[in-house]
Amino acid sequence: MPNFEHPEYPEATLLHLESMVPCRESQVSSLLSIFGERQHFSFPSIFIYGHTSSGKTYVMQTLLETLELPHVFVNCVECFTSRLLLEEILTELQSLSSENKHGSHMPCDTFNDFVRLFKQEIIIQDLQNQTVYIVLDKAEQLREMEANVLPGFLRLQEMTDRNVTVVFLSEIVWELFRPNTGCLEPFTLYFPDYSIGNLQKILSHYHPPEYSADFYAAYINILLGVFYTVCRDLKELRHLAALNFTKYCEPVVRGEANERDTRRLWKNIESHLKKAMQTVYLREISSSQWERIQQDDGEPGHLKGLSAHAHVELPYYSKFLLIAAYLASYNPARTDKRFFLKHHGKIKKTNFLKKHEKTSNHLLGPKPFPLDRLLAILYSIVDNKVAPTANIFSQITSLVTLQLLTLVGHDDQLDGPKYKCTVSLDFIRAIARTVNFDIIKYLYDFL
Amino acid sequence: TALRFVDKKCYIRARFVYIYLSFCLSLADYFSQGKNDSEDSGLRFASCQLLWKQINSETEKIQEELNKQLFDNLIRFLRQSHSEFQTKTTEWMCRMKSSEIPTAALVLGVNVTDHDVTFKSLSEVLQDNVTPYVVSLQAKECPGIKHLLQKLMGQLMDCYVDADSSEEEECVNISQKKIRCSMASLSKWYENVTKKTGSETPSKKRTSSSRHWQSPPVVVIFKDMEIISSQHIHEFPLVLIFGIATSPMIIHRLLPHSVSSLLCIELFQSLSCKEHLATVIDKLLLTTQFPFKLSEKVLQVLINIFLYHDFSVQNFIKGFQLSIVEHFYSQPLSVLCCQLLEAKKRVTSLSHNQCENIRSLPSFRRYVESQVSEKQIALLTEDSFLKEVTQTLLEDLHIYHENYFTVLRCLHVFTTSLPKYPLGKQIRELHCACLGKSVWETEEYESAIQLLRMLAKDELVAILQKCAEIFISPSGKQFSNTVEKLEEFLARFQNLEEANEVQDVSVSSQKELQKKTDLYHLQKTLLALKESKRSKKLTKFEMLRFEVVDFIDSLVRSYLAPAEMQTLNEVVYFNTANTLREHLNAAPRIALHTALNNPYCYLKNQTLKSDVGCISNTAPDICIVYKLHLECGRLINLVDWLEAFSTVVTAVEGTDPEAVATDQVDEIIHARFIRAVSELELLGFIKPSKQKTDHVARLTWGGC
């Protein structure tokens, strides 16, 4: 007895559909009932949301393809302007009928054109009698297009007077979409995250043909035990599972253990997986490098990850500029006297402080400072005399392009530009050490 | 404002140099129109160009060699990255793995100016070896995703035309008419191309090498692009190459995990720019291949700019080029700065004027003074005799250089093994030290020799062997004696070793005996042993070590004499470091200050010549206003300022003092004052202040 019941479709198709969408049965059945029969008018728009890789796109695609409903599937990231999006929909619509695979290009600049062309196309394709589905994947991008696009799609049924349903797939909730001017509310449907049981079921579903399902399920169980706490992304997990499976099979291939010997297999793989979590999962080293390591059976220790190369070499004055920028960003401007004048007198920290300055500046983040202050600090921390040459100024801009400093305010402001220093304390300490500058002594927070 | 503008337009300086150079090099008559028009300017220009051509090709060769390893790795990576795409495996593994875009992260260091060259040669290499479809994108060219794709498509289509222009031109024309910039059309295009050409060249791959330099707007684009790309990866192979200036961490910082998880990033590290510079100096400066040499100060200027400011090897070479041009332009005798044989030939055809030039060289005068009186007279009066002597002197100079570089390398081998590197770690530091003054008179050299006298034996032997190799490798005629001597030393060390072994045995047997005594006695005997060692005469090894060090010292003294002491060094050495510094290390603020404070410097008007401190009334108004404002504090009272201005101006004009006394400022003077003040404001020295009425704030600090 299939879970799905629908008078329109044969039972075999529904059974097949059910096998295709594990753990998403309830969502599919509600979608089925919303869709109704082919010729029925459905909701004008359906909004489906859920976290990353909760099967939105997959379910939608399988559903529409298995039931052979006329549909257009468009990824909004690909079409970064509304014009591209509308044209893409029309082209896809053209290619619905099989004989005309590569439709001719239709210029379509405005939504008005789109409605007109859409109506034409429906008649050409002879689709008046069934619901056409337009699925907009990654619908978040619609918010960045012209203001009329989203409301337009929401009432497409009304405007074209055709049997059409627009489906939005998104990772964020509908409330964040709703335009200020108001619009037709879509039917919203939530796809919850897969639970650990669901993940186990889905991942084990696609076991490699050479090994039994049980064996693979046991492997998935171990894998989830390690990774579930940090990652619930199905795609990522599947990727990791595929990467590490050969290592898991090693004892079996060598004949040291049989497929049932879970304990030994677990011992073999566990540390390996943990290492994978620190490296491959964070993309510290690439998957292909990881595979190569596995093949060579070497320790991944000798292969340094991306963050191991944190060291940056800078010209001498750039280092001092960066240090000066750091000091300017994290010290209150009033304390400059205390640090950079010879006879500053004694200033006690407690009296000297205003109330809000008592919080650590490092917790508050870098503050913007004007160029003049940067140069003044630079002149006082460099031992020998620095001439304000064009080279020094160009280094400031270089540091900005290297993203070690950022320009605050607009790029065009030539008069009194302000900067912020964006490097971390560890980084600046490493830099300061190379020029024998004790930066801690100059930082107000560490006084 | 002008001051601020300077730091915005950071490449102004580079452009200046470029203009200057292109001016020098494109106009041959620049040389002849210069101040020394009679002295073989044409010949000088020709030899300058020839020399630069040689040096340029040499630097390109160096670059190529240095990049070879990196490029080879990269090409291997690119070849591998889509092998599975070609074989079209449909295994379980491939289906399960999420499709990642192979990405090479190229860490290039912070010297962004050099990257252009690297990327250019990289894309050339890729085009030759891997695929015709190479696109290189720059961050600043692509402010938005639209531009990026347009650029990408444009470059691809062009490539495509280049690759097989004959057959499919019509197809290209159509697509270029209305490029619909989307990934879908891109993949469709790729399908088309492969369908048509695929049968002939199935190995063709499309590689898009995109470079971006950490500018935030671009990263947004890339984010999107990568999401898109992952869907199409099965349809067409794409490889990304990121150029990274700082650290690879930036990838994680800029791209969210959802994006970076779609990338299969592999890291490639290029050679550090310091090593690059070391090679360049080694190949260009520390060789007799090129006759042109840099004096210590000039080299110091170039190296300082490199180390302190930009880390750019390109700029270093540009500076080197500038000094070549400057040398050939300003030194009439630079006509002799060419290969030895050619130079000798040129000496014979020197004009009388040029002979006089030779006679006026300081180094030549020194030489003349050291000769006997008859010879002195001959040198100063007979041109033909002078020419003969010049030829031998040039030969001497050449030999001096040959010896110099060999001994320098040898000394470098010694000094690099010392703790704390008293004479510098790099050979360039040693070179600078030797060029400037007699190195053996410096304290650093003294301490280095001290340290050498304490070297352990195996170290010393290794160093000596290296030195022997250095002396053998070049033509080595002059150094046959030295090599013999070194080999003798080595042999003696060998003998010592054998002798030592015998000694060691006896010592150990002695110790064997001592083991049986108690601790107290043992200590006592050990102390005694130490004492005896100290007081003992030097061992054979120590004697030998002294001998070696003395030998090296004598080598240094005889061959590493500073270049300035050599006769005729002015011919090949460029030593006006000041000119170079002015050109390469522009100081806009200082220039502005000089212009305003001492207008004579630029206007060359005799009436403007004045003493420091006093304000001339003939100077332009802005100069007077500027000088007056230097004496003020942070806030300047406009009324006082105007009064001072009018006093200065009228005092000079020297009309009747009655008018001044009326306290009424002339309208014209007032207007002039206002104009000058607003000019100062435009230049960024002052700005209106809201703190006090009728006051302006100074924006610069410090007096004259």
Side-chain angles (χ1 to χ4, degrees):
Chain A
M1 188 65 200
N3 270 329
F4 307 140
E5 282 179 33
H6 205 282
E8 170 81 10
Y9 308 105
E11 209 164 278
T13 320
L14 290 176
L15 265 176
H16 177 63
L17 183 65
E18 192 185 340
S19 71
M20 295 279 283
V21 287
C23 311
R24 280 285 171 257
E25 288 84 3
S26 71
Q27 281 81 12
V28 171
S29 75
S30 54
L31 276 174
L32 274 177
S33 37
I34 292 166
F35 286 176
E37 292 173 28
R38 270 173 190 273
Q39 70 281 9
H40 287 172
F41 270 72
S42 172
F43 267 95
S45 51
I46 302 170
F47 184 86
I48 298 174
Y49 67 102
H51 208 266
T52 321
S53 73
S54 48
K56 302 177 294 288
T57 313
Y58 174 74
V59 165
M60 219 43 220
Q61 215 152 14
T62 349
L63 185 64
L64 293 170
E65 267 161 23
T66 348
L67 301 182
E68 291 170 340
L69 298 169
H71 67 277
V72 171
F73 215 99
V74 181
N75 188 336
C76 294
V77 183
E78 264 179 61
C79 310
F80 44 90
T81 62
S82 61
R83 189 185 154 184
L84 278 176
L85 179 67
L86 300 178
E87 284 173 2
E88 182 69 26
I89 294 172
L90 290 173
T91 332
E92 293 247 330
L93 200 62
Q94 274 184 334
S95 57
L96 270 184
S97 51
S98 51
E99 71 265 25
N100 192 7
K101 205 70 194 148
H102 290 287
S104 63
H105 174 65
M106 278 194 232
C108 170
D109 277 327
T110 61
F111 210 83
N112 195 17
D113 286 341
F114 175 72
V115 172
R116 181 173 54 82
L117 290 166
F118 186 80
K119 282 190 334 204
Q120 267 177 23
E121 201 56 43
I122 294 284
I123 293 170
I124 296 170
Q125 303 278 340
D126 198 23
L127 292 169
Q128 293 101 316
N129 297 328
Q130 36 186 326
T131 318
V132 176
Y133 295 92
I134 297 176
V135 186
L136 301 173
D137 200 356
K138 303 247 163 45
E140 300 90 80
Q141 298 290 323
L142 287 178
R143 298 185 301 165
E144 269 140 49
M145 294 182 190
E146 286 88 352
N148 67 338
V149 176
L150 180 63
F153 274 120
L154 284 169
R155 0 176 41 114
L156 193 63
Q157 199 177 67
E158 185 186 327
M159 285 194 290
T160 54
D161 198 20
R162 295 284 180 276
N163 190 354
V164 58
T165 295
V166 183
V167 183
F168 300 91
L169 304 180
S170 158
E171 285 181 16
I172 53 178
V173 293
W174 166 247
E175 278 67 34
L176 295 170
F177 276 80
R178 195 179 284 137
N180 295 332
T181 47
C183 63
L184 194 72
E185 293 284 318
F187 176 83
T188 53
L189 186 65
Y190 176 58
F191 275 44
D193 285 350
Y194 290 117
S195 68
I196 186 163
N198 290 347
L199 286 174
Q200 167 87 34
K201 194 173 162 195
I202 297 166
L203 285 171
S204 328
H205 189 250
Y206 300 98
H207 63 90
E210 306 94 68
Y211 294 94
S212 71
D214 284 345
F215 177 65
Y216 192 67
Y219 166 63
I220 291 299
N221 201 8
I222 294 170
L223 184 89
L224 281 177
V226 176
F227 281 102
Y228 186 70
T229 45
V230 292
C231 171
R232 299 177 187 196
D233 187 334
L234 182 62
K235 269 185 216 151
E236 189 71 30
L237 283 171
R238 204 169 63 167
H239 179 67
L240 288 166
L243 272 186
N244 297 306
F245 188 58
T246 41
K247 179 81 181 175
Y248 183 72
C249 295
E250 247 172 37
V252 181
V253 173
R254 282 202 300 256
E256 287 168 11
N258 65 6
E259 290 195 11
R260 299 282 168 103
D261 203 348
T262 341
R263 198 175 165 71
R264 179 174 289 182
L265 289 172
W266 178 77
K267 263 193 178 159
N268 177 42
I269 195 75
E270 207 225 359
S271 64
H272 188 74
L273 285 180
K274 284 205 170 135
K275 226 170 270 163
M277 183 160 74
Q278 284 156 11
T279 54
V280 186
Y281 172 61
L282 297 174
R283 292 296 184 275
E284 282 286 308
I285 61 177
S286 71
S287 329
S288 57
Q289 280 171 323
W290 181 253
E291 278 181 336
R292 232 173 293 146
I293 292 166
Q294 282 185 345
Q295 277 164 15
D296 303 345
D297 208 23
E299 279 294 296
H302 69 269
L303 218 152
K304 279 196 259 171
L306 288 182
S307 16
H309 296 264
H311 174 66
V312 177
E313 260 190 59
L314 287 172
Y316 186 73
Y317 283 139
S318 295
K319 284 178 186 169
F320 273 108
L321 273 171
L322 201 58
I323 292 171
Y326 192 84
L327 292 176
S329 263
Y330 286 98
N331 282 347
R334 299 181 308 119
T335 60
D336 283 356
K337 246 188 196 167
R338 152 83 179 72
F339 288 117
F340 304 114
L341 278 187
K342 266 183 191 146
H343 310 288
H344 51 75
K346 275 226 168 126
I347 306 168
K348 272 192 188 163
K349 192 172 179 179
T350 43
N351 302 340
F352 183 61
L353 280 176
K354 283 183 187 162
K355 232 188 190 155
H356 63 95
E357 277 172 357
K358 279 183 183 158
T359 24
S360 161
N361 286 304
H362 279 85
L363 289 178
L364 295 172
K367 293 190 181 57
F369 54 87
L371 176 68
D372 289 337
R373 190 171 160 224
L374 172 72
L375 289 176
I377 296 180
L378 173 77
Y379 296 142
S380 64
I381 59 173
V382 179
D383 290 334
N384 38 0
K385 243 172 84 182
V386 198
T389 60
N391 272 331
I392 294 281
F393 291 117
S394 74
Q395 275 177 66
I396 298 175
T397 13
S398 309
L399 288 174
V400 172
T401 45
L402 293 176
Q403 292 208 326
L404 299 173
L405 300 183
T406 41
L407 189 63
V408 183
H410 201 261
D411 209 25
D412 293 339
Q413 192 199 358
L414 297 179
D415 192 21
K418 287 190 166 180
Y419 300 94
K420 258 185 193 181
C421 183
T422 54
V423 298
S424 65
L425 180 64
D426 287 337
F427 185 91
I428 204 73
R429 282 177 75 172
I431 292 275
R433 214 174 300 129
T434 59
V435 288
N436 290 325
F437 181 81
D438 187 9
I439 191 162
I440 295 298
K441 247 171 55 188
Y442 285 86
L443 278 171
Y444 185 63
D445 281 349
F446 299 100
L447 217 56
Chain B
T1 50
L3 282 184
R4 309 280 181 263
F5 198 65
V6 168
D7 77 70
K8 281 298 292 178
K9 294 287 152 206
C10 53
Y11 295 115
I12 278 182
R13 181 185 52 81
R15 203 166 300 148
F16 263 137
V17 174
Y18 177 72
I19 291 168
Y20 181 79
L21 288 178
S22 56
F23 179 64
C24 294
L25 292 177
S26 62
L27 301 175
D29 42 28
Y30 171 69
F31 271 81
S32 50
Q33 278 166 6
K35 49 189 173 190
N36 313 306
D37 47 270
S38 60
E39 283 93 358
D40 310 309
S41 54
L43 200 55
R44 257 153 58 202
F45 177 69
S47 42
C48 170
Q49 275 202 317
L50 181 72
L51 180 67
W52 172 241
K53 214 182 276 168
Q54 286 168 351
I55 288 178
N56 203 19
S57 69
E58 181 72 24
T59 50
E60 271 166 21
K61 222 184 346 178
I62 294 169
Q63 193 104 42
E64 220 168 87
E65 276 165 26
L66 289 178
N67 283 335
K68 197 169 178 304
Q69 169 101 44
L70 175 71
F71 286 177
D72 283 351
N73 285 341
L74 207 55
I75 287 171
R76 202 175 313 128
F77 168 74
L78 294 179
R79 289 231 166 95
Q80 260 174 18
S81 60
H82 280 299
S83 50
E84 61 189 71
F85 177 79
Q86 280 166 14
T87 51
K88 301 214 163 127
T89 45
T90 47
E91 274 177 69
W92 171 82
M93 271 284 267
C94 296
R95 260 193 303 127
M96 285 301 115
K97 268 192 289 187
S98 57
S99 45
E100 290 179 315
I101 307 170
T103 305
L106 210 56
V107 183
L108 289 164
V110 295
N111 46 336
V112 180
T113 34
D114 290 0
H115 296 179
D116 265 337
V117 187
T118 318
F119 272 112
K120 217 172 121 207
S121 53
L122 174 64
S123 48
E124 271 164 23
V125 168
L126 288 182
Q127 256 163 359
D128 291 346
N129 293 322
V130 186
T131 163
Y133 308 119
V134 178
V135 180
S136 73
L137 305 164
Q138 277 190 41
K140 55 186 170 203
E141 288 172 349
C142 314
I145 191 163
K146 201 171 156 191
H147 294 100
L148 180 118
L149 278 177
Q150 256 165 7
K151 200 121 190 117
L152 192 118
M153 301 282 281
Q155 284 196 30
L156 266 183
M157 303 298 177
D158 278 346
C159 282
Y160 174 66
V161 176
D162 281 346
D164 17 28
S165 51
S166 53
E167 311 162 48
E168 272 102 30
E169 237 166 49
E170 51 204 296
C171 145
V172 175
N173 283 343
I174 296 163
S175 56
Q176 266 177 343
K177 253 180 227 161
K178 32 186 173 178
I179 299 179
R180 289 167 57 244
C181 294
S182 68
M183 286 312 268
S185 59
L186 196 61
S187 88
K188 214 171 277 166
W189 168 83
Y190 180 72
E191 243 169 67
N192 272 340
V193 173
T194 38
K195 228 183 275 164
K196 288 185 178 166
T197 58
S199 50
E200 304 147 38
T201 51
S203 67
K204 232 172 231 176
K205 267 190 285 182
R206 204 194 72 86
T207 310
S208 144
S209 89
S210 331
R211 51 182 130 138
H212 70 122
W213 291 322
Q214 279 91 47
S215 5
V218 192
V219 175
V220 177
I221 302 155
F222 269 89
K223 182 180 78 183
D224 297 348
M225 199 180 113
E226 279 139 15
I227 293 170
I228 304 155
S229 309
S230 67
Q231 298 179 338
H232 289 277
I233 190 98
H234 287 304
E235 291 162 45
F236 76 123
L238 176 78
V239 183
L240 298 173
I241 300 174
F242 292 153
I244 296 176
T246 48
S247 73
M249 290 277 278
I250 201 99
I251 295 182
H252 289 313
R253 230 168 46 185
L254 293 176
L255 302 174
H257 186 251
S258 62
V259 175
S260 61
S261 66
L262 293 172
L263 298 174
C264 178
I265 302 167
E266 237 171 275
L267 203 64
F268 296 90
Q269 186 98 35
S270 77
L271 207 62
S272 92
C273 45
K274 280 184 185 167
E275 282 169 54
H276 191 171
L277 180 78
T279 337
V280 167
I281 288 183
D282 197 57
K283 289 271 162 64
L284 291 186
L285 298 178
L286 304 180
T287 166
T288 48
Q289 196 185 346
F290 304 111
F292 177 75
K293 302 279 185 300
L294 294 177
S295 76
E296 184 231 350
K297 274 184 192 143
V298 175
L299 186 58
Q300 207 57 265
V301 167
L302 288 180
I303 289 178
N304 279 354
I305 289 179
F306 177 85
L307 288 180
Y308 284 172
H309 293 299
D310 55 8
F311 267 180
S312 163
V313 178
Q314 287 303 314
N315 280 356
F316 181 84
I317 292 170
K318 280 264 161 11
F320 187 54
Q321 187 185 7
L322 180 66
S323 36
I324 291 175
V325 172
E326 195 60 46
H327 177 68
F328 278 95
Y329 171 63
S330 59
Q331 174 59 265
L333 286 171
S334 61
V335 70
L336 299 179
C337 180
C338 53
Q339 298 304 327
L340 184 61
L341 287 178
E342 179 68 23
K344 278 185 178 172
K345 225 181 281 167
R346 285 184 191 177
V347 168
T348 52
S349 55
L350 282 184
S351 66
H352 176 68
N353 266 352
Q354 285 284 48
C355 291
E356 284 305 313
N357 279 335
I358 292 180
R359 284 180 190 126
S360 62
L361 290 180
S363 68
F364 188 75
R365 270 195 246 152
R366 267 203 308 274
Y367 170 75
V368 170
E369 277 158 24
S370 65
Q371 303 300 316
V372 288
S373 58
E374 299 96 65
K375 211 176 169 191
Q376 277 185 0
I377 293 166
L379 278 173
L380 294 178
T381 51
E382 286 173 43
D383 279 358
S384 56
F385 182 62
L386 174 80
K387 282 174 186 173
E388 253 173 58
V389 174
T390 310
Q391 279 181 344
T392 51
L393 284 176
L394 280 176
E395 201 163 327
D396 287 347
L397 193 65
H398 184 74
I399 290 168
Y400 158 76
H401 280 136
E402 269 183 7
N403 297 342
Y404 176 88
F405 292 125
T406 324
V407 176
L408 185 75
R409 278 171 214 279
C410 168
L411 182 62
H412 180 236
V413 171
F414 272 95
T415 52
T416 44
S417 61
L418 298 177
K420 284 192 183 171
Y421 310 106
L423 280 169
K425 197 176 174 182
Q426 305 280 343
I427 194 164
R428 58 163 190 264
E429 295 165 86
L430 193 63
H431 181 53
C432 278
C434 297
L435 267 182
K437 48 186 178 284
S438 310
V439 69
W440 55 88
E441 285 165 9
T442 59
E443 269 178 46
E444 291 85 13
Y445 181 77
E446 205 55 46
S447 62
I449 288 291
Q450 288 294 337
L451 288 170
L452 278 184
R453 295 209 169 107
M454 287 184 269
L455 276 182
K457 195 177 70 186
D458 36 355
E459 269 182 296
L460 199 57
V461 170
I463 291 170
L464 281 179
Q465 269 160 354
K466 267 193 219 162
C467 285
E469 275 165 32
I470 290 172
F471 281 120
I472 290 166
S473 54
S475 50
K477 273 173 243 158
Q478 303 87 1
F479 287 109
S480 50
N481 283 340
T482 322
V483 173
E484 266 173 39
K485 188 95 179 167
L486 282 175
E487 268 159 12
E488 187 201 318
F489 279 134
L490 281 173
R492 279 166 68 185
F493 274 119
Q494 192 69 38
N495 291 340
L496 261 185
E497 216 160 272
E498 282 155 22
N500 263 8
E501 268 167 30
V502 181
Q503 248 182 11
D504 276 346
V505 174
S506 62
V507 169
S508 58
S509 62
Q510 235 180 336
K511 278 196 179 148
E512 207 86 47
L513 284 173
Q514 282 163 358
K515 255 182 196 168
K516 277 159 196 163
T517 58
D518 62 320
L519 196 68
Y520 174 73
H521 275 111
L522 183 68
Q523 266 179 345
K524 221 177 170 185
T525 43
L526 277 179
L527 270 176
L529 259 178
K530 231 183 191 174
E531 279 295 302
S532 69
K533 251 185 196 162
R534 199 171 291 162
S535 59
K536 215 170 40 178
K537 268 190 296 171
L538 295 173
T539 61
K540 267 190 186 168
F541 163 68
E542 280 163 329
M543 299 272 281
L544 193 53
R545 190 165 60 185
F546 269 110
E547 242 176 276
V548 170
V549 174
D550 285 344
F551 174 67
I552 294 300
D553 190 39
S554 71
L555 274 183
V556 169
R557 277 168 203 268
S558 51
Y559 292 115
L560 289 188
E564 276 169 36
M565 302 305 292
Q566 304 306 310
T567 316
L568 292 185
N569 72 75
E570 290 91 338
V571 171
V572 294
Y573 278 88
F574 175 66
N575 51 16
T576 42
N578 269 341
T579 340
L580 200 66
R581 195 180 296 130
E582 264 169 40
H583 285 307
L584 292 181
N585 208 357
R589 285 196 186 186
I590 292 171
L592 204 57
H593 178 78
T594 340
L596 292 172
N597 204 29
N598 184 12
Y600 173 73
C601 195
Y602 289 96
L603 295 177
K604 303 285 178 208
N605 186 344
Q606 283 305 320
T607 54
L608 292 178
K609 235 176 180 174
S610 66
D611 302 326
V612 191
C614 90
I615 303 171
S616 153
N617 54 334
T618 49
D621 291 343
I622 187 169
C623 298
I624 300 172
V625 172
Y626 178 78
K627 276 195 177 179
L628 288 171
H629 113 287
L630 286 179
E631 290 157 17
C632 299
R634 219 184 72 75
L635 286 175
I636 307 171
N637 186 337
L638 276 174
V639 180
D640 293 349
W641 203 3
L642 170 63
E643 232 157 62
F645 177 76
S646 97
T647 319
V648 170
V649 172
T650 47
V652 193
E653 275 158 15
T655 47
D656 58 324
E658 298 290 308
V660 186
T662 54
D663 217 35
Q664 270 295 317
V665 180
D666 188 2
E667 269 180 22
I668 294 177
I669 291 178
H670 196 171
R672 278 165 65 185
F673 174 73
I674 290 174
R675 194 174 74 173
V677 168
S678 55
E679 276 171 356
L680 270 195
E681 190 183 333
L682 189 73
L683 287 174
F685 285 101
I686 52 168
K687 70 170 184 189
S689 158
K690 278 175 191 155
Q691 289 175 12
K692 263 181 177 175
T693 47
D694 291 340
H695 278 70
V696 288
R698 258 184 87 175
L699 290 173
T700 51
W701 63 92
C704 325

